[in-house]
Amino acid sequence: MIPYLVLSSVSIALMGVVVIGRRTNGGQAFNLDQFRSQAPLAGVLPADNRPRREYHDLVAAYINADVFRAA
């Protein structure tokens, strides 16, 4: 009896995930753009991206420090 309950609860949960995924993705189970063959070849990251990323990392660390300090 317990294996049947576990199997049925897992299958109901899986169906729920599929239904929610279809509702949020416009009726499709998967977004086909994520499976493009050209996705890895879409382009090269710009060379000047590093300073901007480091700035955003510092801002995020500063914001997190303020949040933890206030708690």
Side-chain angles (χ1 to χ4, degrees):
M1 183 73 174
I2 291 176
Y4 175 73
L5 290 174
V6 170
L7 184 62
S8 62
S9 63
V10 168
S11 63
I12 289 172
L14 181 62
M15 285 188 280
V17 168
V18 169
V19 167
I20 291 171
R22 285 183 179 236
R23 285 185 184 169
T24 59
N25 201 13
Q28 296 179 351
F30 295 102
N31 187 3
L32 295 180
D33 286 338
Q34 65 185 352
F35 299 111
R36 294 184 302 145
S37 61
Q38 296 88 5
L41 306 173
V44 179
L45 293 174
D48 59 347
N49 195 26
R50 185 174 176 169
R52 186 174 61 119
R53 188 190 69 211
E54 289 175 351
Y55 171 74
H56 287 293
D57 289 345
L58 288 173
V59 169
Y62 179 73
I63 290 172
N64 286 336
D66 283 347
V67 169
F68 287 121
R69 196 175 306 136

